[in-house]
């Protein structure tokens, strides 16, 4: 009598059945089955969802966002600026060559409105500023000879000497003397500064669409000499008064001129190139860019010096300048009809309408009283078509 063959493990048999089932299901064909459900509430939900999706695509996607257009952002841009005007301080008349830095007329420039001038500095020895950390002293022992403070004004000599004014003493330093705090004179240039005029010439180019335009259109002789910017009547006369720019940024001119600050002039070119070029116009906005509410970093100032010689020795005038820095920022986007984004967004819209069917199917099969009946009607398996002979009868 032959020995009985060992039975394969139960796990292996289960795995084989699962594999056969998956392989068989892989070749199944599924087709939607249409069931008409006579339920008014479900029909209202279905049509409402379809209507909302349709409104979203028609109004927001196609009308507001203009998704039928090919778009380009960040135009190539050129900015040229020119400032004109004169002003008075307590000691002299100032013209544009003296209060505009740098003078090249780029997109970033500063208009000096207040100066702290330290005249006739020469290389020598003098008391250090009391504002420098550990500069005050009582005797020479408090001052280390040769010590160099990175925030100071020179190399310490090792002597403790009386300050420029008052009874205090500071360590003596070797450098440009007298130091800034000891002999500076303040001069305010902001008296007539609100009337300074600033010409901002801007040209943009969208290379994808080969479209170019500038913010000056009327080339009639003498036009720019007699106009200033007005959003309605002189949109293409980009000559702004400094006081107008500061006012539009919501700032007080006197306070800004005293402490300095940074004002952004933003030029936005949003162009619909399906329309005529005359509809592509610049839009100007103005706002303060530096954090004025943070005392540690508010305001704007910088230093520079003017050098000359007196009796063969080098002398300089040190100037700490407070001013209004103007940053001209250009951005924008252009759009033009293109078939590819139109087809893509139309296909997306038509596909999204099917969300209504998905939602109503979920309600139908989950919350309706006869959900099992609906489930049986909706998901039907036809076994008569499992062999080629059944298929041939179709």
């Amino acid at each position: 009598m032959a020995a009985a063959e060992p039975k394969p493990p139960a796990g292996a048999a289960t795995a084989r059945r699962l594999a056969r089932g998956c392989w068989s299901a892989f070749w199944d064909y599924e087709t939607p089955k249409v069931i008409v459900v006579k339920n008014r509430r479900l029909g209202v939900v279905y049509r409402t969802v379809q209507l909302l999706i349709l409104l979203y695509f028609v109004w927001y996607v196609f009308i507001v966002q203009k998704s039928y257009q090919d778009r380009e952002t960040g135009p190539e841009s050129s900015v040229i600026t020119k400032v004109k005007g004169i002003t008075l301080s307590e000691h002299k008349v100032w013209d544009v060559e003296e209060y505009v830095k740098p003078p090249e007329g780029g997109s970033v420039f500063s208009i000096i409105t207040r100066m702290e001038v330290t005249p006739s500095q020469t290389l020598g020895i003098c008391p250090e500023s009391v504002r420098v950390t550990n500069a005050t002293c009582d005797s020479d022992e408090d001052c280390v000879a040769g010590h160099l403070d990175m925030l100071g004004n020179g190399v310490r000599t090792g002597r403790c000497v009386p300050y420029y004014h008052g009874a205090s003493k500071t360590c003596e330093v070797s450098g440009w003397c007298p130091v800034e705090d000891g002999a500076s004179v303040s001069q305010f240039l902001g008296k007539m500064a609100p009337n300074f005029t600033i010409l901002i010439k801007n040209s943009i180019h969208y290379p994808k669409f080969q479209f170019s335009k500038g913010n000056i259109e009327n080339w009639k002789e003498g036009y720019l000499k007699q106009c200033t910017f007005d959003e309605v009547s002189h949109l293409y006369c980009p000559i702004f008064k400094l006081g107008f720019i500061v006012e539009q940024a919501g700032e007080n001119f006197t306070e800004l001129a005293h402490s300095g600050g940074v004002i952004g002039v933003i030029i936005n070119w949003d162009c619909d190139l399906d329309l005529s070029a005359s509809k592509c116009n610049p839009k100007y906005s103005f706002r303060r860019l530096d954090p004025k509410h943070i005392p540690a970093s508010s305001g704007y100032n910088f230093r520079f010096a003017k050098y000359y010689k007196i009796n063969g020795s080098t002398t300089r005038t040190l100037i700490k300048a407070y001013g209004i820095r103007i940053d001209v920022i250009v951005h924008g986007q252009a759009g033009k009809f293109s078939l590819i984004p139109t087809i893509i967004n139309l296909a997306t819209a038509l596909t999204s309408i099917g969300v209504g069917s998905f939602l109503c199917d979920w309600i139908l099969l989950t919350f309706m009283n006869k959900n099992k009946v609906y489930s049986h009607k909706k998901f039907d398996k036809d076994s008569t078509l499992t062999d080629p002979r059944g298929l041939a009868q179709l």
Side-chain angles (χ1 to χ4, degrees), residues 349-362:
L350 295 174
T351 304
S352 299
I353 292 176
V355 173
S357 301
F358 176 80
L359 178 63
C360 290
D361 281 349
W362 178 67

Side-chain angles (χ1 to χ4, degrees), residues 41-278:
R41 286 181 295 179
L42 192 62
V44 168
V45 172
Y46 178 59
R47 297 305 178 190
T48 301
V49 172
Q50 283 187 324
L51 179 62
L52 290 175
I53 294 173
L54 190 63
L55 287 175
Y56 168 77
F57 276 94
V58 172
W59 177 75
Y60 182 76
V61 175
F62 286 97
I63 296 179
V64 177
Q65 295 294 322
K66 298 181 179 179
S67 297
Y68 56 86
Q69 293 182 331
D70 189 11
R71 309 196 72 81
E72 182 179 10
T73 59
E76 298 173 352
S77 173
S78 171
V79 174
I80 300 173
T81 59
K82 184 183 292 186
V83 183
K84 289 186 177 181
I86 60 172
T87 187
L88 296 170
S89 68
E90 293 82 353
H91 303 92
K92 61 174 288 188
V93 176
W94 300 80
D95 61 13
V96 67
E97 286 76 13
E98 296 180 285
Y99 62 74
V100 175
K101 302 290 181 182
E104 288 83 5
S107 60
V108 178
F109 59 94
S110 300
I111 297 175
I112 299 172
T113 53
R114 185 169 72 90
M115 291 182 177
E116 291 181 358
V117 181
T118 307
S120 304
Q121 281 189 326
T122 58
L123 289 171
I125 55 174
C126 55
E128 177 63 284
S129 170
V130 292
R131 297 185 182 182
V132 178
T133 305
N134 298 324
T136 57
C137 59
D138 296 319
S139 64
D140 293 347
E141 295 178 356
D142 298 327
C143 303
V144 179
H147 177 70
L148 179 62
D149 192 323
M150 289 295 106
L151 300 179
N153 295 281
V155 181
R156 294 185 183 181
T157 64
R159 296 177 56 201
C160 182
V161 296
Y163 196 55
Y164 299 94
H165 47 78
S168 60
K169 291 182 177 182
T170 61
C171 294
E172 186 181 61
V173 294
S174 174
W176 286 99
C177 296
V179 297
E180 184 179 45
D181 296 332
S184 62
V185 178
S186 181
Q187 299 184 34
F188 185 69
L189 286 65
K191 184 177 180 180
M192 301 179 68
N195 294 318
F196 293 168
T197 59
I198 305 172
L199 168 66
I200 303 175
K201 184 161 47 173
N202 175 224
S203 299
I204 57 101
H205 177 66
Y206 287 102
K208 179 182 286 188
F209 306 115
Q210 293 299 306
F211 177 82
S212 300
K213 196 170 185 181
N215 65 343
I216 299 176
E217 280 196 338
N218 193 335
W219 293 102
K220 186 168 60 177
E221 187 177 355
Y223 171 70
L224 293 178
K225 294 181 179 180
Q226 59 187 9
C227 70
T228 54
F229 174 80
D230 183 270
E231 193 172 2
V232 177
S233 59
H234 294 293
L235 179 62
Y236 282 88
C237 174
I239 298 178
F240 305 86
K241 287 189 174 182
L242 182 59
F244 171 80
I245 292 176
V246 173
E247 179 186 355
Q248 292 297 306
E251 298 297 323
N252 179 279
F253 191 91
T254 303
E255 294 178 0
L256 189 66
H258 182 79
S259 61
V262 183
I263 301 293
V265 178
I266 296 96
I267 308 176
N268 186 33
W269 292 88
D270 279 347
C271 300
D272 185 350
L273 300 184
D274 292 327
L275 307 177
S276 66
S278 62

Side-chain angles (χ1 to χ4, degrees), residues 14-33:
T14 303
R16 282 198 296 271
R17 285 196 300 271
L18 182 61
R20 283 195 297 268
C22 291
W23 178 253
S24 177
F26 177 77
W27 299 106
D28 289 347
Y29 170 69
E30 297 178 0
T31 183
K33 184 177 183 180

